[in-house]
Amino acid sequence: MFKFFKELVDSVKEGMAEGKAELAQEAADREAAQQENNAALAARLAASSRFENFAVALAAVYRQTFAPDLKEAHEAQRSAVHLLCIGIPPDEVEAWKKLLARDFSVTNGEEAETVVTGIVDDLASQASNDDLALWVGRAAHLATGAAAAGHATAEEALDWLEPAAELAIERFNGWDHYAQSFLAGERNAPGSNIVGRKLLASVAEKLLADELSPWKTVAWPARDSFADLVASRGAARPA
């Protein structure tokens, strides 16, 4: 009898030891995978241009709303790469395609270019800086989102956005100014509702405060630096 219980206890101890070993191995595998992913994202960010970072940051209020990255960046102890570079996580791509189709009726690159360039061509005629900020944000959201979803290349999306970025730099003096104008433009936009306004305001507040946010890590370009910002695209391209 006592021998039976001893063997039972020994068996339980052995099973617990094996379980702990398996858990430790799983934790080590997760850590290794996270480090590998972090390294790949760091390399992607290092290869990006200042212009790409700025263009994506113009769309950050939408990106952080629909595919938030700040929390994961903190947990993984990395930069908020998906708020700085055009690409988004692979498991977000299909949802992003549906989002672009729903909000902009865009399902391919030709449609994306037509809608983005139409928005950009109208920017200079916007009635106020509030309207301008709203539509700059939407153009950046659509262009970078279309490239992230595979409808266009990153270079094509950035080409579409050059005039929008130049006008934003000319009219606004920083992320605070841009954010305030964006939210005011959203408040007065057709179809705006209180739930959406509160959500976007909350996201904008987080972007202005979080240390990993592109609105904290990407400096707003000086008005006379646009040519240098565009030139950074060429410097960032692989040889």
Side-chain angles (χ1 to χ4, degrees), residues 94-210:
E94 288 306 314
W96 209 261
K97 288 180 179 179
K98 292 178 182 178
L99 182 74
L100 298 179
R102 183 197 72 187
D103 293 346
F104 298 100
S105 298
V106 164
T107 60
N108 57 53
E110 184 177 350
E111 291 172 350
E113 181 177 13
T114 297
V115 177
V116 173
T117 55
I119 292 172
V120 171
D121 288 345
D122 287 341
L123 287 177
S125 63
Q126 291 297 329
S128 68
N129 276 356
D130 296 345
D131 294 330
L132 174 65
L134 175 67
W135 286 103
V136 165
R138 289 181 176 180
H141 166 49
L142 173 54
T144 60
H151 293 328
T153 67
E155 288 302 311
E156 287 171 335
L158 296 178
D159 285 343
W160 304 339
L161 289 175
E162 280 192 14
E166 183 174 22
L167 199 54
I169 293 169
E170 178 185 323
R171 297 283 188 89
F172 304 106
N173 55 32
W175 292 113
D176 286 274
H177 187 196
Y178 172 71
Q180 291 168 6
S181 295
F182 173 89
L183 293 175
E186 163 64 27
R187 186 166 56 246
N188 297 320
S192 176
N193 61 73
I194 190 169
V195 175
R197 290 196 298 271
K198 285 187 174 181
L199 176 58
L200 291 174
S202 175
V203 171
E205 182 179 359
K206 181 178 294 186
L207 287 167
L208 289 170
D210 194 297

Side-chain angles (χ1 to χ4, degrees), residues 1-8:
M1 176 73 71
F2 290 113
K3 181 180 179 182
F4 169 76
F5 282 117
K6 182 179 183 301
E7 290 176 349
L8 182 61

Side-chain angles (χ1 to χ4, degrees), residues 83-102:
L83 298 177
L84 292 160
C85 298
I86 280 177
I88 57 176
D91 59 358
E92 297 280 357
V93 170
E94 288 306 314
W96 209 261
K97 288 180 179 179
K98 292 178 182 178
L99 182 74
L100 298 179
R102 183 197 72 187

